[in-house]
Amino acid sequence: MEESWDFEFLSRIVDGFVSFLSEFVDDWLANDMRVSIFKILFSWLVVSLIAIHFAWRVYGNTVNDMYYRQGTGGQNGGTPDTAPHRSGWESAAGDTIKTHRE
């Protein structure tokens, strides 16, 4: 009993898909304005996806290396764990380190 139900369900899905495709092909072959707009937008989408694919193929490693920098510094090129040394103009001033006294 379940096999006939599965076959009926599957045949309805296939029939619906085939009828959708036949209507789509009929509309595609018609010289209608909405079909022309759909063709333009669909071709724009396809060209954009192809361009993104080739751009990622060419520049993907560079972008990945920029995001995950190697070497010292934290994750993603942050500041290093050690404190930086004082620069020349700070040490040349000869100021003593001021401390807070209560």
Side-chain angles (χ1 to χ4, degrees):
M1 185 71 183
E2 290 181 16
E3 293 176 7
S4 65
W5 186 83
D6 288 340
F7 180 72
E8 181 181 340
F9 180 71
L10 184 62
S11 67
R12 283 188 179 185
I13 289 177
V14 170
D15 288 340
F17 185 69
V18 168
S19 66
F20 171 76
L21 282 180
S22 66
E23 289 180 22
F24 183 79
V25 168
D26 291 340
D27 286 341
W28 186 268
L29 296 176
N31 289 330
D32 192 11
M33 180 59 76
R34 64 187 173 102
V35 174
S36 300
I37 293 172
F38 175 77
K39 287 179 182 179
I40 291 169
L41 293 176
F42 184 71
S43 59
W44 183 13
L45 176 69
V46 169
V47 169
S48 298
L49 289 175
I50 290 171
I52 290 169
H53 174 74
F54 283 124
W56 186 255
R57 185 175 292 267
V58 172
Y59 296 110
N61 290 333
T62 305
V63 172
N64 194 26
D65 290 342
M66 286 170 48
Y67 187 71
Y68 295 107
R69 293 182 183 157
Q70 302 295 322
T72 61
Q75 179 183 2
N76 299 333
T79 58
D81 294 334
T82 60
H85 299 296
R86 294 179 65 162
S87 65
W89 64 271
E90 288 176 332
S91 60
D95 293 336
T96 59
I97 299 175
K98 297 179 181 178
T99 59
H100 179 71
R101 294 183 185 160
E102 295 186 75

